[in-house]
Amino acid sequence: MNIEQQKKSAASAAIEWLDSRLHTDTVIGVGTGSTADHFIDLLKRHRARFAGAVASSTRSAERLSRHGIRIFDLNDVPELPMYVDGADEITIGLEMIKGGGGALTREKIVAAASKVFVCIADASKRVETLGRFPLPIEVIAMARAQVVRALEALGRQCELEAGDVRATLRVRSAADGSPYMTDNGNLIVDVGGWTIADPRAIEARIGAIVGVVESGLFALRGADLLLLARSDGVETLVPRAQYP
């Protein structure tokens, strides 16, 4: 299977995992991204079997709605039994970098509200150590420069094996040049050049920087289950403890 076929295969495996867990009053969390899009497209066939979904982005909410799936506000749902989403990178401990699609804060909120976080990913997303994919960080606009300086200092303090650390403001397109805005009305700074050996500690340190809304590190609340699609099928993985 090529990468696109692997994404579809992972999404299909998630539908199979959900099959016996869906009830007419079930509300599920649904993520954002190309693999999540495949999941949403498959989920429409089962829309009569569950109540609806909480979406982690406007983009996913619109796609779910087009398929006739009811959208719930998270504030109206006491608990989500499951959340299905992809990842930009994921380790054997099921810590992740997410946010390539810009929905990291809402993704983290929905993940925190869910009992089980099911990650669906193709084999290219599996890494030994996080950091190859630039780390997205959602930032309050007036704090952008201050946050960039703090991130550069953090890289030096924590000895993140930083080579050429690059903290850059995400733009909508190279031709346009205007800043990318999240669904929350904030900016995103993408940090490249870090090798993140202790993602839990770094997630906490980034979260303490004034002006940071959220980071794309999902380590303090990682996935509970990984459906990893390879060229020869889908492998099911659960976290391997890396910390005492």
Side-chain angles (χ1 to χ4, degrees), residues 78-229:
E79 183 180 68
L80 295 173
M82 61 206 72
Y83 173 49
V84 180
D85 199 0
D88 295 303
E89 286 188 343
I90 187 164
T91 69
I92 197 168
L94 306 199
E95 303 106 345
M96 294 163 282
I97 286 181
K98 294 174 52 56
L104 57 138
T105 297
R106 296 193 184 191
E107 288 172 345
K108 193 169 282 191
I109 291 169
V110 179
S114 303
K115 292 182 67 175
V116 179
F117 181 175
V118 180
C119 181
I120 52 177
D122 62 84
S124 70
K125 305 303 193 300
R126 166 75 173 84
V127 298
E128 292 300 320
T129 306
L130 298 174
R132 181 181 63 192
F133 189 91
L135 175 63
I137 299 173
E138 186 164 344
V139 176
I140 300 294
M142 71 174 292
R144 175 184 56 81
Q146 173 183 320
V147 168
V148 167
R149 290 190 292 269
L151 291 169
E152 291 171 348
L154 177 62
R156 294 191 295 269
Q157 293 165 7
C158 296
E159 298 181 350
L160 293 176
E161 298 180 24
D164 179 20
V165 175
R166 302 170 302 280
T168 59
L169 180 66
R170 185 179 297 186
V171 297
R172 292 194 175 277
S173 69
D176 179 75
S178 63
Y180 175 92
M181 302 295 289
T182 70
D183 286 347
N184 307 312
N186 300 312
L187 305 176
I188 288 184
V189 172
D190 292 304
V191 183
W194 277 356
T195 299
I196 307 172
D198 189 348
R200 294 186 180 190
I202 298 307
E203 182 179 352
R205 293 287 296 272
I206 293 173
I209 297 173
V210 176
V212 167
V213 179
E214 265 301 346
S215 78
L217 272 176
F218 283 61
L220 295 172
R221 203 287 183 246
D224 300 298
L225 181 71
L226 170 61
L227 299 174
L228 185 68

